[in-house]
Amino acid sequence: MTSGGYDPDKDPQNPGGYPPPPQGGYPPPPQGNYPPPPQGGYPPPPQGGYPPPGNYPPPPGDYPQQGGYPPPPQGNYPPPPAFGESPMPTQLSVGTAIGYGFDKFKENALVWVGIVLVAAIIQGVLNFVLSSDNVVLSLIFSVVVGVVALLIQAALVRGALHEVDGIKPGFGSFFQFGNVAAVIIAGILVGIATSIGFVLLVIPGIVITFFTWWTFQFVIDRGDEPIPAIKASAQAIASNGGTLFVLALALVGINIVGAVLIGIGLLVSIPITIIAGTYAYRVTVRGRVA
């Protein structure tokens, strides 16, 4: 029994006989021993969690300065195919090139026959008018006729380039090239080299003619100067020489057949062969074909 007459063994609410916990025996917490919080002494928190704006120094390291990135490389990249255009073939086929030339000619036959006929008339008139027994005048007239022939050839190439770009050329479109001097110089250089080659047992002349086949395409289409255009033509043709040689033989054969038909067949064969050759140029140099 504890003091005060309480017996835990006889308490019905404490069957185990454990002594009750002490009541009220805890000391009160200390009062006034803590410093009061400062009034207005804390800085306001930053808004949004970001430091205030200012001219902070750049982070350490070799980082490019603002605006210091080099411009993207510039070049004569072909534009992406427009909607409805056929994707560029990955491999050149002789039959496909000739078929392409025939199809494009058929779709614009009147214009092509007209431009070839006009070119033939111009050449014929010049050959008739510019003739002389004087050696000096004859040489000058020959140069004039030769330059006109080069410009006519360039005009036909320009028209063929329009065709492979998906544009039906009108008469004026054949003369849409501004680098006339480069065309004339390139044509003269190729002509001189070819003439020398034919003097040297013919075969070198055939080889030079073959490898300079696309000189006008590079001058007109890419804007190359004469010497770079001749080199580019030779390199491009050498990249697929076997197929292109077979194509060249086939195109020569087509023009021979056109000439046999009283020459009238050339009104058809010349456009087909020029378009087919320009198609081969586009495929070989990885341009777009419409």
Side-chain angles (χ1 to χ4, degrees):
M1 178 180 295
T2 62
S3 61
Y6 173 74
D7 188 356
D9 295 332
K10 295 181 179 181
D11 189 350
Q13 296 182 356
N14 187 18
Y18 298 102
Q23 300 296 322
Y26 301 100
Q31 299 294 327
N33 291 330
Y34 300 100
Q39 298 296 321
Y42 296 110
Q47 300 297 320
Y50 301 101
N55 293 322
Y56 296 97
D62 282 335
Y63 298 100
Q65 298 297 321
Q66 182 176 3
Y69 298 99
Q74 302 295 324
N76 290 321
Y77 300 103
F83 179 77
E85 290 182 354
S86 302
M88 183 190 68
T90 58
Q91 189 173 5
L92 178 64
S93 166
V94 174
T96 302
I98 296 175
Y100 182 91
F102 178 77
D103 290 340
K104 288 296 183 179
F105 166 75
K106 185 174 59 176
E107 294 172 3
N108 201 19
L110 184 60
V111 170
W112 275 102
V113 170
I115 195 69
V116 173
L117 184 60
V118 169
I121 293 173
I122 292 174
Q123 284 289 100
V125 170
L126 288 178
N127 287 327
F128 178 77
V129 173
L130 300 180
S131 60
S132 175
D133 294 333
N134 185 281
V135 176
V136 176
L137 288 178
S138 178
L139 181 60
I140 295 175
F141 292 159
S142 297
V143 171
V144 172
V145 172
V147 169
V148 172
L150 291 176
L151 294 177
I152 289 174
Q153 183 181 352
L156 296 177
V157 170
R158 174 72 272 180
L161 287 168
H162 280 312
E163 292 285 5
V164 299
D165 287 340
I167 303 170
K168 284 186 178 182
F171 283 100
S173 303
F174 284 83
F175 302 96
Q176 290 177 342
F177 54 91
N179 44 354
V180 176
V183 167
I184 294 174
I185 295 173
I188 291 174
L189 293 177
V190 170
I192 293 173
T194 304
S195 299
I196 294 174
F198 276 110
V199 171
L200 301 174
L201 302 177
V202 179
I203 294 179
I206 296 175
V207 173
I208 293 172
T209 302
F210 175 61
F211 282 101
T212 59
W213 181 9
W214 292 337
T215 299
F216 278 179
Q217 275 83 349
F218 278 100
V219 171
I220 297 171
D221 185 43
R222 299 293 184 94
D224 288 357
E225 293 299 319
I227 298 298
I230 293 172
K231 291 180 179 179
S233 175
Q235 292 172 354
I237 290 174
S239 68
N240 194 13
T243 302
L244 289 171
F245 185 70
V246 174
L247 175 62
L249 290 178
L251 298 182
V252 170
I254 291 173
N255 280 324
I256 290 175
V257 173
V260 168
L261 299 176
I262 322 177
I264 298 177
L266 291 174
L267 297 176
V268 176
S269 66
I270 288 176
I272 291 175
T273 55
I274 290 180
I275 296 172
T278 304
Y279 167 90
Y281 155 79
R282 269 283 195 263
V283 174
T284 302
V285 301
R286 297 296 186 265
R288 67 185 177 94
V289 175

